Amino acid sequence: MSKSFEENYRAEMMKEIPDLWDRIEAGIEQTTAEPVPAEKQPVQKQQKSGNVRKSNKWMKILAIASPALAACLFGLVMIPAALVFMVSGIGKDSAMSASDSATQAAGGEAMYEDAEAAYESAEMTDETGGTENRYVAEGNFSYKEETMAGAPAEDAAVQSESETEVSDLFGEVVQAEIIAVTGEEVTVRLEDSLAEQLMLRYEVYPLHDTVFVFALSEENTFVPEAGMYCGIVFEEAANTENGITVRLIENTEQNE
Amino acid sequence: MEQQEFEKCIEQIRLGNKDGLRKIYEEYIGYIYSVVYGILGNKENAEDVTSDFFIRLWNSASTYQSGNAHRAWLSTIARNMSLDYIRKHRREMPLADELQDVSDSQNVEKDVVGEMSVMQALSMLNENERRIVDMKVLGEMTFQEIADLLKIPLGTVTWRYQNAIGKLRRCGYE
């Protein structure tokens, strides 16, 4: 477009600018009067370190769970974890022994100690084995955690996997639902307000009915909530009343 | 507005001082409104989104990272909000292909029409062309973004844009 046209057009537009200040001021007063919801607090303030979160998680487990139920669930948790370790070929021995001890345990504190040790072992193994494995392993453990809280086994599996993995990915900021974990992609569903935060911070926006959307400024941005470099993809098709689905795609090159 | 001054305004906003917002408003209302209007193509909607933009700026000033090019930051938010608005109100807003090519029947003469005001020149464009020119010039969108938004092929967007340029040239805009 020729420069003169653009300049003239913009200048013409400036003549038609409405005065919106009163409206804006009223809007501000309205929002100021309303208390800020917890999820709209700045993200950094709500983040906690991974260690604190993990310790809280286990404390919660110990407080709530009953030993007998835990024994059953522990088996359910450890067997898939052991399979993952065997597939990865790293930490195979430790995973197997953890699985064995899990299935043999009858309940009580000893079992929790084993579980925790195996969890740590799995986590260490997965740090060398790749992100995908880490997600799977942590998902399995979250399954245990939630089921022990008293939910029916299958429902709890789905529900808890989502909640805990989101917690692992986003700290306690995003209490959202994980839709899927596929390879290097983690799909979570965010509430609108949280999606807006991400959009503002990482300059990402959704386009209607498109599966492929993009980050405006950078394809790959370090996302502290996820602890890794990601491309953030808003999947408009999954936008529902529950919020917007966001897919984080790990950039393995940068994370290495 | 200089970067430093802008950051000062943001700091004021963070402290709850409306003067900071007022300064940004006075400086950028025209720019933001143009960007929003360019994308939405409707005055009422543009006013709504522009108002919301400044309210959101007030609420989310803390997300601004010092040192960023603030104009681009503002523009990005405005664009995001406009696109979001379209996404949420898609059913109420006509797609580009649903707009009628009213001006096509008027047939701009092939020869140079002569000097015209911008608005007169723009009236020579049909709705589809006008929308694309607005998005490109005022909304600062790329052709690919426009194609995605309007759900039409990229080639169609560039073709219509070239047509529009041709018409504007004949109106004396080089």
Side-chain angles (χ1 to χ4, degrees):
Chain A
M1 184 59 52
S2 71
K3 238 182 177 182
S4 64
F5 170 75
E6 287 184 21
E7 282 170 4
N8 281 307
Y9 190 18
R10 288 206 181 100
E12 199 66 36
M13 283 301 298
M14 290 294 179
K15 291 179 191 167
E16 297 179 12
I17 304 302
D19 184 5
L20 301 171
W21 179 250
D22 290 343
R23 202 165 150 183
I24 292 165
E25 208 169 17
I28 288 169
E29 271 158 24
Q30 198 181 349
T31 55
T32 314
E34 292 166 7
V36 181
E39 68 266 21
K40 288 206 170 184
Q41 296 292 333
V43 172
Q44 286 84 352
K45 289 183 184 171
Q46 295 183 29
Q47 284 181 325
K48 290 185 182 174
S49 72
N51 288 339
V52 173
R53 274 186 280 126
K54 275 174 199 161
S55 113
N56 285 344
K57 184 165 45 175
W58 285 105
M59 287 299 289
K60 206 163 105 184
I61 291 170
L62 289 171
I64 296 171
S66 70
L69 184 56
C72 301
L73 297 173
F74 187 67
L76 288 172
V77 169
M78 287 310 299
I79 290 167
L83 288 173
V84 170
F85 299 152
M86 283 190 291
V87 169
S88 70
I90 305 168
K92 185 177 176 180
D93 292 339
S94 64
M96 288 292 286
S97 64
S99 175
D100 290 340
S101 66
T103 49
Q104 286 165 12
E109 293 295 321
M111 185 198 63
Y112 288 109
E113 285 170 15
D114 285 346
E116 194 152 15
Y119 176 71
E120 296 297 336
S121 156
E123 199 170 42
M124 285 171 66
T125 306
D126 284 323
E127 277 172 13
T128 58
T131 314
E132 183 180 353
N133 290 342
R134 179 159 60 86
Y135 294 145
V136 175
E138 288 176 2
N140 287 336
F141 272 93
S142 68
Y143 167 82
K144 174 190 171 195
E145 174 189 336
E146 293 295 325
T147 318
M148 286 187 342
E154 281 188 18
D155 292 344
V158 176
Q159 186 188 348
S160 63
E161 176 178 323
S162 306
E163 288 176 1
T164 305
E165 287 208 12
V166 173
S167 172
D168 286 330
L169 279 170
F170 290 94
E172 294 186 357
V173 179
V174 179
Q175 294 302 320
E177 183 187 359
I178 277 206
I179 307 301
V181 179
T182 314
E184 294 171 342
E185 299 175 357
V186 181
T187 304
V188 296
R189 181 172 294 147
L190 303 179
E191 291 171 21
D192 276 340
S193 59
L194 293 163
E196 279 175 14
Q197 278 187 17
L198 277 178
M199 286 162 69
L200 287 168
R201 287 179 60 194
Y202 301 113
E203 301 183 339
V204 183
Y205 63 85
L207 295 177
H208 186 74
D209 290 341
T210 52
V211 173
F212 172 71
V213 195
F214 47 88
L216 266 186
S217 56
E218 293 172 80
E219 284 289 333
N220 292 295
T221 314
F222 185 74
V223 182
E225 292 88 339
M228 59 187 183
Y229 284 90
C230 296
I232 309 172
V233 177
F234 278 73
E235 288 196 323
E236 188 58 30
N239 186 13
T240 64
E241 287 177 357
N242 298 326
I244 297 172
T245 298
V246 174
R247 191 152 47 95
L248 302 175
I249 302 178
E250 184 182 10
N251 177 4
T252 43
E253 276 184 20
Q254 288 230 46
N255 286 318
E256 277 167 16
Chain B
M1 183 181 276
E2 296 292 327
Q3 183 73 20
Q4 221 172 2
E5 195 185 343
F6 180 79
E7 283 175 14
K8 218 181 268 180
C9 292
I10 289 288
E11 194 50 44
Q12 283 181 314
I13 294 173
R14 282 177 183 152
L15 296 170
N17 185 345
K18 279 184 202 164
D19 291 347
L21 186 69
R22 178 81 200 192
K23 280 180 201 160
I24 295 175
Y25 168 84
E26 283 169 359
E27 184 75 22
Y28 288 112
I29 175 70
Y31 175 61
I32 297 301
Y33 180 78
S34 296
V35 169
V36 173
Y37 176 79
I39 295 172
L40 298 180
N42 173 296
K43 283 183 183 175
E44 280 180 15
N45 295 345
E47 286 178 16
D48 288 346
V49 173
T50 305
S51 303
D52 286 348
F53 168 86
F54 284 100
I55 293 167
R56 186 175 292 187
L57 184 64
W58 172 263
N59 290 325
S60 57
S62 56
T63 63
Y64 177 74
Q65 291 172 357
S66 174
N68 285 357
H70 69 271
R71 192 179 160 93
W73 184 69
L74 293 173
S75 154
T76 301
I77 296 173
R79 284 156 43 107
N80 289 349
M81 289 181 67
S82 306
L83 294 169
D84 203 35
Y85 187 91
I86 290 179
R87 178 176 60 80
K88 284 180 180 163
H89 299 86
R90 170 76 82 178
R91 286 181 189 170
E92 302 152 30
M93 302 175 81
L95 289 175
D97 281 340
E98 292 162 9
L99 299 170
Q100 292 188 351
D101 289 359
V102 179
S103 301
D104 268 354
S105 58
Q106 294 172 0
N107 277 336
V108 179
E109 294 171 25
K110 301 254 166 155
D111 300 326
V112 174
V113 174
E115 286 296 325
M116 299 175 84
S117 74
V118 175
M119 290 310 179
Q120 282 174 320
L122 283 168
S123 69
M124 295 295 182
L125 309 182
N126 66 45
E127 287 285 339
N128 289 327
E129 292 164 348
R130 173 72 187 265
R131 190 85 198 279
I132 289 168
V133 167
D134 283 349
M135 285 178 169
K136 181 76 182 152
V137 176
L138 300 177
E140 300 176 353
M141 296 174 75
T142 65
F143 288 128
Q144 185 61 59
E145 287 169 342
I146 295 170
D148 289 343
L149 189 65
L150 299 179
K151 294 183 180 176
I152 54 178
L154 181 63
T156 307
V157 174
T158 53
W159 185 77
R160 284 177 182 169
Y161 185 71
Q162 291 305 325
N163 269 356
I165 285 178
K167 288 180 184 178
L168 292 169
R169 277 192 185 135
R170 288 195 287 277
C171 295
Y173 284 96
E174 286 294 334

